[in-house]
C-alpha cells in the first residue's frame, strides 16, 4: 500500500486541508510527517513530533476527522545565526486526518513517546459521538 503526504488520498484514510472554522490555517507553518496504517483491531496514526512536549499537543475529534495541532518552539538557536542548512520545521502546525466509516475516533487512545505521537483508533462497535477531545498520555 503506497502512502502519500500532505493533502493526498490513501487507501483507507485521507489527509485533508484544515478547515477555516477558526481561521488558524493561515498561521500554520508546517505539517508533521505522519503514517496511517491498518491493524487487526483498527487504525494507527503515528506523527513525528520530535522536540515537543506532550502538553503542547492538542488532539480533537470532529466526526470522522482527527485534528492534531501544536507548536514546536525553536529555543536552541542564536537569534543572529545564519543557516547553512535548515530542514527542521518550527512554529505552529496542524494536521487533519479523515478516516472512512467503520472506525471509532471517540474511543481513540493517544500516547507520546520519544518524539512520536501514536493514536490507536479501534474499529467501530457503536454509533460515534459527534465531537470529542483525545487525551495524550506519556509513553513508557
Amino acid at each position: 500500500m503506497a502512502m502519500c503526504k500532505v493533502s493526498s488520498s490513501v487507501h483507507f484514510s485521507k489527509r485533508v486541508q484544515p478547515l477555516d472554522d477558526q481561521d488558524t490555517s493561515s498561521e500554520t507553518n508546517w505539517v508533521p510527517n505522519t503514517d496511517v496504517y491498518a491493524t487487526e483491531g483498527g487504525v494507527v496514526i503515528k506523527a513525528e513530533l520530535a522536540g515537543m512536549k506532550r502538553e503542547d499537543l492538542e488532539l480533537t475529534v470532529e466526526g470522522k476527522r482527527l485534528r492534531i495541532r501544536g507548536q514546536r518552539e525553536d529555543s536552541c538557536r542564536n537569534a543572529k545565526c545564519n543557516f547553512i542548512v535548515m530542514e527542521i520545521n518550527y512554529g505552529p502546525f496542524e494536521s487533519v486526518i479523515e478516516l472512512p466509516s467503520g472506525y471509532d475516533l471517540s474511543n481513540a487512545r493517544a500516547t507520546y513517546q520519544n518524539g512520536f505521537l501514536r493514536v490507536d483508533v479501534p474499529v467501530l462497535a457503536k454509533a460515534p459521538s459527534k465531537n470529542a477531545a483525545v487525551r495524550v498520555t506519556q509513553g513508557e
Side-chain angles (χ1 to χ4, degrees), residues 2 12 32 37 47 50 56 61 64-65 68 74 76 82 87 98 100 108:
F12 58 87
Y37 56 92
D56 294 334
V61 173
K64 298 188 304 182
R65 293 181 176 185
I68 304 169
D74 183 7
C76 298
N82 292 313
E87 295 183 340
E98 183 172 338

Side-chain angles (χ1 to χ4, degrees), residues 3 15-16 18 24 28 36 44 57-58 63 98 100 105 111 115 117:
M3 295 300 295
R15 178 80 88 14
V16 297
T24 58
T28 301
V36 181
V44 175
L57 299 173
E58 177 187 335
E98 183 172 338
L105 275 167
T111 56
L117 172 68

Side-chain angles (χ1 to χ4, degrees), residues 72-84:
R72 180 162 46 197
E73 300 295 331
D74 183 7
S75 58
C76 298
R77 71 174 143 145
N78 182 329
K80 295 183 179 183
C81 69
N82 292 313
F83 280 94
I84 297 169

Side-chain angles (χ1 to χ4, degrees), residues 23-75:
D23 198 28
T24 58
S25 60
S26 62
E27 300 173 9
T28 301
N29 290 340
W30 61 285
V31 177
N33 292 326
T34 305
D35 291 342
V36 181
Y37 56 92
T39 64
E40 285 184 17
V43 169
V44 175
I45 300 165
K46 188 174 181 182
E48 182 181 43
L49 296 167
M52 302 226 22
K53 296 177 186 164
R54 173 176 51 107
E55 54 271 12
D56 294 334
L57 299 173
E58 177 187 335
L59 281 70
T60 54
V61 173
E62 301 162 350
K64 298 188 304 182
R65 293 181 176 185
L66 174 67
R67 183 184 303 266
I68 304 169
R69 282 189 185 145
Q71 180 160 332
R72 180 162 46 197
E73 300 295 331
D74 183 7
S75 58

Side-chain angles (χ1 to χ4, degrees), residues 92-114:
F93 68 88
E94 182 173 80
S95 180
V96 179
I97 309 287
E98 183 172 338
L99 296 177
S101 300
Y103 296 101
D104 189 1
L105 275 167
S106 67
N107 282 313
R109 291 185 333 233
T111 56
Y112 183 67
Q113 181 178 12
N114 297 328

